[in-house]
């Protein structure tokens, strides 16, 4: 039995198709545990623009003041997560939407308030909650929101949440889904990237923007004992694998 963590970005969430759900059902038929972590950056940005709230990003992270945090919670918990859980249930896959307030699921701290506002980093995942749900056949669907010890909500990068969930569950596979089929170097989609080459790819600006948190999260997850990490736009193929080869 494997434990598989899948992180879906907002764009990937819009493109869930027959092939995606067939793969989920195949994994379930094989007895594997599955956890979904979802983003929703496009929904958040659209909602912010409608409300005339500036969108600002630094190092691939959304700068989050109190207004942006409220909009983020509204988009993720009021729009993206219900859409996803509804899609899973329509495919007869038992799924339950979770967030930071679900039995202290995600505890964290503010990274740098002056630079990023209420952007957080994960300290602890309530893996017992996830394990209990998976044991009864549920697929946990997690929003990337954390909470400090004193109850302050945090906007956390979904790749970081997925990596931490995979690490603490000691997952066999972590899929970081995005809108492209992996990482491209000199117009060629890379099949494998050794972890020792990650810094070079960053220095040469081959990996930039929103791909930076993904590749850093992959590196952290592998270091923490996750079996394999894949960056791709689907779960039925491997895309770019990050690892020690």
């Amino acid at each position: 039995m494997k434990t598989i963590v899948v992180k879906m970005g907002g764009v990937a969430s819009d493109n869930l198709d027959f092939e995606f759900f067939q793969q989920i059902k195949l994994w379930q038929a094989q007895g594997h545990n599955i956890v979904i972590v979802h983003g929703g950056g496009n929904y958040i940005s659209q909602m912010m623009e409608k409300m005339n709230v500036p969108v600002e990003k630094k190092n691939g992270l959304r700068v989050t003041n109190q207004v942006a945090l409220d909009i983020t919670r509204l988009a993720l918990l009021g729009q993206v997560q219900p859409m996803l859980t509804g899609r899973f249930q329509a495919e007869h896959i038992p799924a339950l939407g979770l967030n930071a307030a679900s039995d202290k699921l995600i505890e964290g701290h503010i990274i740098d308030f002056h630079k990023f506002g209420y952007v957080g980093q994960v300290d602890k995942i309530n893996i017992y909650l996830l394990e209990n749900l998976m044991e009864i056949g549920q697929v946990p669907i997690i929003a990337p929101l954390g909470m400090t010890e004193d109850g302050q909500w945090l906007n956390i990068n979904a790749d970081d949440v997925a990596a931490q969930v995979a690490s603490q569950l000691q997952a066999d596979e972590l899929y970081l889904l995005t809108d492209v089929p992996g990482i491209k170097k000199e117009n060629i989609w890379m099949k494998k990237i050794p972890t020792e080459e990650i810094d070079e790819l960053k220095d040469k600006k081959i990996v930039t923007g929103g791909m930076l948190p993904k590749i850093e999260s992959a590196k952290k997850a592998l270091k923490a004992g996750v079996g394999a990490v894949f960056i791709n736009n689907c779960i039925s193929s491997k895309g770019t694998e990050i690892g020690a080869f």
Side-chain angles (χ1 to χ4, degrees), residues 43-103:
Y43 287 92
I44 297 167
S45 295
Q46 288 169 13
M47 196 172 288
M48 289 178 72
E49 288 167 5
K50 286 178 182 178
M51 296 182 179
N52 294 316
V53 177
V55 175
E56 183 183 1
K57 293 186 178 182
K58 295 179 180 177
N59 301 331
L61 300 175
R62 184 184 303 275
V63 177
T64 308
N65 60 19
Q66 185 60 55
V67 174
L69 179 62
D70 291 342
I71 293 172
T72 298
R73 288 171 60 188
L74 182 62
L76 293 178
L77 302 184
Q79 192 172 9
V80 180
Q81 192 169 89
M83 176 190 70
L84 284 175
T85 54
R87 289 291 309 278
F88 272 74
Q89 288 163 12
E91 293 289 335
H92 307 290
I93 301 171
L96 186 65
L98 302 172
N99 62 71
S102 305
D103 198 13

Side-chain angles (χ1 to χ4, degrees), residues 5-32:
V5 177
V6 179
K7 180 268 174 175
M8 298 186 299
V11 174
S13 301
D14 285 340
N15 297 319
L16 298 184
D17 54 14
F18 174 80
E19 191 175 278
F20 174 87
F21 287 110
Q22 284 300 106
Q23 184 63 61
I24 295 291
K25 290 175 182 178
L26 176 60
W27 283 339
Q28 285 192 315
Q30 293 169 337
H32 301 330

